PDB file of all heavy atoms in Angstrom:
ATOM      1  N   ARG S 318      63.566 -47.319  74.548  1.00 92.00           N
ATOM      2  CA  ARG S 318      63.888 -48.266  73.491  1.00 92.00           C
ATOM      3  C   ARG S 318      64.894 -47.710  72.535  1.00 92.00           C
ATOM      4  O   ARG S 318      65.478 -48.500  71.714  1.00 92.00           O
ATOM      5  CB  ARG S 318      62.618 -48.745  72.772  1.00 92.00           C
ATOM      6  CG  ARG S 318      61.614 -49.365  73.596  1.00 92.00           C
ATOM      7  CD  ARG S 318      60.229 -49.342  72.910  1.00 92.00           C
ATOM      8  NE  ARG S 318      59.641 -48.008  72.916  1.00 92.00           N
ATOM      9  CZ  ARG S 318      58.403 -47.741  72.584  1.00 92.00           C
ATOM     10  NH1 ARG S 318      57.639 -48.699  72.153  1.00 92.00           N
ATOM     11  NH2 ARG S 318      57.985 -46.464  72.561  1.00 92.00           N
ATOM     12  N   TYR S 319      65.161 -46.395  72.540  1.00 91.00           N
ATOM     13  CA  TYR S 319      65.858 -45.766  71.499  1.00 91.00           C
ATOM     14  C   TYR S 319      67.034 -44.929  71.927  1.00 91.00           C
ATOM     15  O   TYR S 319      67.675 -44.252  71.096  1.00 91.00           O
ATOM     16  CB  TYR S 319      64.926 -44.887  70.638  1.00 91.00           C
ATOM     17  CG  TYR S 319      63.679 -45.629  70.148  1.00 91.00           C
ATOM     18  CD1 TYR S 319      62.410 -45.143  70.382  1.00 91.00           C
ATOM     19  CD2 TYR S 319      63.825 -46.860  69.502  1.00 91.00           C
ATOM     20  CE1 TYR S 319      61.346 -45.832  69.942  1.00 91.00           C
ATOM     21  CE2 TYR S 319      62.740 -47.564  69.082  1.00 91.00           C
ATOM     22  CZ  TYR S 319      61.473 -47.014  69.281  1.00 91.00           C
ATOM     23  OH  TYR S 319      60.355 -47.755  68.807  1.00 91.00           O
ATOM     24  N   VAL S 320      67.365 -44.948  73.214  1.00 90.00           N
ATOM     25  CA  VAL S 320      68.458 -44.168  73.696  1.00 90.00           C
ATOM     26  C   VAL S 320      69.838 -44.705  73.323  1.00 90.00           C
ATOM     27  O   VAL S 320      70.852 -43.988  73.184  1.00 90.00           O
ATOM     28  CB  VAL S 320      68.387 -43.910  75.208  1.00 90.00           C
ATOM     29  CG1 VAL S 320      68.704 -45.193  75.995  1.00 90.00           C
ATOM     30  CG2 VAL S 320      69.306 -42.748  75.644  1.00 90.00           C
ATOM     31  N   LYS S 321      69.903 -46.058  73.107  1.00 86.00           N
ATOM     32  CA  LYS S 321      71.050 -46.702  72.553  1.00 86.00           C
ATOM     33  C   LYS S 321      70.744 -47.581  71.417  1.00 86.00           C
ATOM     34  O   LYS S 321      70.595 -48.795  71.498  1.00 86.00           O
ATOM     35  CB  LYS S 321      71.727 -47.546  73.712  1.00 86.00           C
ATOM     36  CG  LYS S 321      72.396 -46.814  74.782  1.00 86.00           C
ATOM     37  CD  LYS S 321      73.201 -47.656  75.720  1.00 86.00           C
ATOM     38  CE  LYS S 321      73.997 -46.854  76.745  1.00 86.00           C
ATOM     39  NZ  LYS S 321      74.794 -47.657  77.618  1.00 86.00           N
ATOM     40  N   GLY S 322      70.566 -46.880  70.245  1.00 81.00           N
ATOM     41  CA  GLY S 322      70.083 -47.624  69.057  1.00 81.00           C
ATOM     42  C   GLY S 322      68.635 -47.988  69.184  1.00 81.00           C
ATOM     43  O   GLY S 322      67.865 -47.177  69.765  1.00 81.00           O
ATOM     44  N   ILE S 323      68.217 -49.105  68.686  1.00 83.00           N
ATOM     45  CA  ILE S 323      66.899 -49.623  68.729  1.00 83.00           C
ATOM     46  C   ILE S 323      66.893 -50.925  69.490  1.00 83.00           C
ATOM     47  O   ILE S 323      67.387 -51.941  68.969  1.00 83.00           O
ATOM     48  CB  ILE S 323      66.282 -49.746  67.401  1.00 83.00           C
ATOM     49  CG1 ILE S 323      66.174 -48.344  66.662  1.00 83.00           C
ATOM     50  CG2 ILE S 323      64.830 -50.342  67.472  1.00 83.00           C
ATOM     51  CD1 ILE S 323      65.710 -48.470  65.203  1.00 83.00           C
ATOM     52  N   THR S 324      66.350 -50.993  70.668  1.00 85.00           N
ATOM     53  CA  THR S 324      66.374 -52.202  71.474  1.00 85.00           C
ATOM     54  C   THR S 324      64.984 -52.781  71.598  1.00 85.00           C
ATOM     55  O   THR S 324      64.366 -52.774  72.710  1.00 85.00           O
ATOM     56  CB  THR S 324      67.045 -51.960  72.845  1.00 85.00           C
ATOM     57  OG1 THR S 324      66.329 -50.862  73.519  1.00 85.00           O
ATOM     58  CG2 THR S 324      68.530 -51.631  72.694  1.00 85.00           C
ATOM     59  N   VAL S 325      64.493 -53.318  70.518  1.00 82.00           N
ATOM     60  CA  VAL S 325      63.108 -53.887  70.460  1.00 82.00           C
ATOM     61  C   VAL S 325      63.225 -55.277  70.002  1.00 82.00           C
ATOM     62  O   VAL S 325      63.899 -55.596  68.976  1.00 82.00           O
ATOM     63  CB  VAL S 325      62.169 -53.077  69.541  1.00 82.00           C
ATOM     64  CG1 VAL S 325      60.843 -53.729  69.467  1.00 82.00           C
ATOM     65  CG2 VAL S 325      62.051 -51.636  70.097  1.00 82.00           C
ATOM     66  N   VAL S 326      62.516 -56.236  70.612  1.00 82.00           N
ATOM     67  CA  VAL S 326      62.582 -57.581  70.233  1.00 82.00           C
ATOM     68  C   VAL S 326      61.151 -58.136  69.798  1.00 82.00           C
ATOM     69  O   VAL S 326      60.137 -57.813  70.444  1.00 82.00           O
ATOM     70  CB  VAL S 326      63.046 -58.525  71.394  1.00 82.00           C
ATOM     71  CG1 VAL S 326      63.072 -60.013  71.037  1.00 82.00           C
ATOM     72  CG2 VAL S 326      64.429 -58.079  71.804  1.00 82.00           C
ATOM     73  N   ASN S 327      61.126 -58.889  68.702  1.00 75.00           N
ATOM     74  CA  ASN S 327      59.906 -59.526  68.217  1.00 75.00           C
ATOM     75  C   ASN S 327      58.881 -58.582  67.621  1.00 75.00           C
ATOM     76  O   ASN S 327      57.673 -58.940  67.512  1.00 75.00           O
ATOM     77  CB  ASN S 327      59.167 -60.339  69.342  1.00 75.00           C
ATOM     78  CG  ASN S 327      60.077 -61.539  69.786  1.00 75.00           C
ATOM     79  OD1 ASN S 327      60.913 -62.004  69.026  1.00 75.00           O
ATOM     80  ND2 ASN S 327      59.897 -61.992  70.986  1.00 75.00           N
ATOM     81  N   TRP S 328      59.247 -57.356  67.298  1.00 74.00           N
ATOM     82  CA  TRP S 328      58.305 -56.483  66.623  1.00 74.00           C
ATOM     83  C   TRP S 328      58.555 -56.640  65.078  1.00 74.00           C
ATOM     84  O   TRP S 328      59.707 -56.739  64.664  1.00 74.00           O
ATOM     85  CB  TRP S 328      58.544 -55.059  66.958  1.00 74.00           C
ATOM     86  CG  TRP S 328      57.669 -54.541  68.041  1.00 74.00           C
ATOM     87  CD1 TRP S 328      56.812 -55.241  68.802  1.00 74.00           C
ATOM     88  CD2 TRP S 328      57.522 -53.121  68.453  1.00 74.00           C
ATOM     89  NE1 TRP S 328      56.151 -54.347  69.719  1.00 74.00           N
ATOM     90  CE2 TRP S 328      56.572 -53.115  69.479  1.00 74.00           C
ATOM     91  CE3 TRP S 328      58.139 -51.973  68.074  1.00 74.00           C
ATOM     92  CZ2 TRP S 328      56.223 -51.938  70.094  1.00 74.00           C
ATOM     93  CZ3 TRP S 328      57.792 -50.785  68.682  1.00 74.00           C
ATOM     94  CH2 TRP S 328      56.848 -50.758  69.678  1.00 74.00           C
ATOM     95  N   PRO S 329      57.470 -56.566  64.247  1.00 75.00           N
ATOM     96  CA  PRO S 329      57.715 -56.525  62.789  1.00 75.00           C
ATOM     97  C   PRO S 329      58.379 -55.210  62.462  1.00 75.00           C
ATOM     98  O   PRO S 329      58.198 -54.171  63.160  1.00 75.00           O
ATOM     99  CB  PRO S 329      56.313 -56.628  62.197  1.00 75.00           C
ATOM    100  CG  PRO S 329      55.414 -56.131  63.307  1.00 75.00           C
ATOM    101  CD  PRO S 329      56.074 -56.524  64.657  1.00 75.00           C
ATOM    102  N   LEU S 330      59.110 -55.164  61.380  1.00 80.00           N
ATOM    103  CA  LEU S 330      59.808 -53.994  60.987  1.00 80.00           C
ATOM    104  C   LEU S 330      58.863 -52.821  60.759  1.00 80.00           C
ATOM    105  O   LEU S 330      59.261 -51.679  61.161  1.00 80.00           O
ATOM    106  CB  LEU S 330      60.547 -54.248  59.612  1.00 80.00           C
ATOM    107  CG  LEU S 330      61.326 -53.019  59.012  1.00 80.00           C
ATOM    108  CD1 LEU S 330      62.441 -52.648  60.036  1.00 80.00           C
ATOM    109  CD2 LEU S 330      61.950 -53.480  57.681  1.00 80.00           C
ATOM    110  N   SER S 331      57.704 -53.024  60.303  1.00 74.00           N
ATOM    111  CA  SER S 331      56.745 -51.920  60.092  1.00 74.00           C
ATOM    112  C   SER S 331      56.427 -51.172  61.400  1.00 74.00           C
ATOM    113  O   SER S 331      56.292 -49.991  61.447  1.00 74.00           O
ATOM    114  CB  SER S 331      55.439 -52.436  59.409  1.00 74.00           C
ATOM    115  OG  SER S 331      54.835 -53.461  60.239  1.00 74.00           O
ATOM    116  N   ARG S 332      56.232 -52.009  62.523  1.00 73.00           N
ATOM    117  CA  ARG S 332      55.888 -51.393  63.765  1.00 73.00           C
ATOM    118  C   ARG S 332      57.104 -50.659  64.403  1.00 73.00           C
ATOM    119  O   ARG S 332      56.945 -49.585  65.006  1.00 73.00           O
ATOM    120  CB  ARG S 332      55.398 -52.460  64.721  1.00 73.00           C
ATOM    121  CG  ARG S 332      54.810 -51.824  65.997  1.00 73.00           C
ATOM    122  CD  ARG S 332      54.047 -52.811  66.836  1.00 73.00           C
ATOM    123  NE  ARG S 332      53.579 -52.200  68.048  1.00 73.00           N
ATOM    124  CZ  ARG S 332      52.977 -52.855  69.043  1.00 73.00           C
ATOM    125  NH1 ARG S 332      52.723 -54.145  68.964  1.00 73.00           N
ATOM    126  NH2 ARG S 332      52.613 -52.220  70.149  1.00 73.00           N
ATOM    127  N   ILE S 333      58.300 -51.208  64.161  1.00 78.00           N
ATOM    128  CA  ILE S 333      59.511 -50.548  64.642  1.00 78.00           C
ATOM    129  C   ILE S 333      59.658 -49.147  63.973  1.00 78.00           C
ATOM    130  O   ILE S 333      59.900 -48.159  64.594  1.00 78.00           O
ATOM    131  CB  ILE S 333      60.770 -51.382  64.373  1.00 78.00           C
ATOM    132  CG1 ILE S 333      60.742 -52.612  65.267  1.00 78.00           C
ATOM    133  CG2 ILE S 333      62.069 -50.571  64.622  1.00 78.00           C
ATOM    134  CD1 ILE S 333      61.882 -53.571  64.983  1.00 78.00           C
ATOM    135  N   LEU S 334      59.443 -49.183  62.629  1.00 76.00           N
ATOM    136  CA  LEU S 334      59.584 -47.936  61.887  1.00 76.00           C
ATOM    137  C   LEU S 334      58.506 -46.902  62.308  1.00 76.00           C
ATOM    138  O   LEU S 334      58.809 -45.703  62.396  1.00 76.00           O
ATOM    139  CB  LEU S 334      59.472 -48.207  60.372  1.00 76.00           C
ATOM    140  CG  LEU S 334      60.609 -49.005  59.743  1.00 76.00           C
ATOM    141  CD1 LEU S 334      60.358 -49.353  58.284  1.00 76.00           C
ATOM    142  CD2 LEU S 334      61.939 -48.223  59.893  1.00 76.00           C
ATOM    143  N   LEU S 335      57.321 -47.376  62.560  1.00 75.00           N
ATOM    144  CA  LEU S 335      56.274 -46.494  63.072  1.00 75.00           C
ATOM    145  C   LEU S 335      56.534 -45.886  64.340  1.00 75.00           C
ATOM    146  O   LEU S 335      56.460 -44.649  64.540  1.00 75.00           O
ATOM    147  CB  LEU S 335      54.927 -47.292  63.130  1.00 75.00           C
ATOM    148  CG  LEU S 335      53.755 -46.512  63.671  1.00 75.00           C
ATOM    149  CD1 LEU S 335      53.383 -45.359  62.746  1.00 75.00           C
ATOM    150  CD2 LEU S 335      52.508 -47.446  63.814  1.00 75.00           C
ATOM    151  N   SER S 336      57.013 -46.727  65.297  1.00 75.00           N
ATOM    152  CA  SER S 336      57.288 -46.221  66.649  1.00 75.00           C
ATOM    153  C   SER S 336      58.519 -45.282  66.650  1.00 75.00           C
ATOM    154  O   SER S 336      58.477 -44.195  67.238  1.00 75.00           O
ATOM    155  CB  SER S 336      57.529 -47.438  67.575  1.00 75.00           C
ATOM    156  OG  SER S 336      57.903 -46.990  68.855  1.00 75.00           O
TER     157      SER S 336
END
Side-chain angles (χ1 to χ4, degrees):
R318 297 163 290 187
Y319 307 128
V320 73
K321 286 189 175 181
I323 299 175
T324 53
V325 177
V326 177
N327 293 336
W328 263 11
L330 180 60
S331 59
R332 190 169 176 185
I333 292 174
L334 292 174
L335 176 63
S336 176

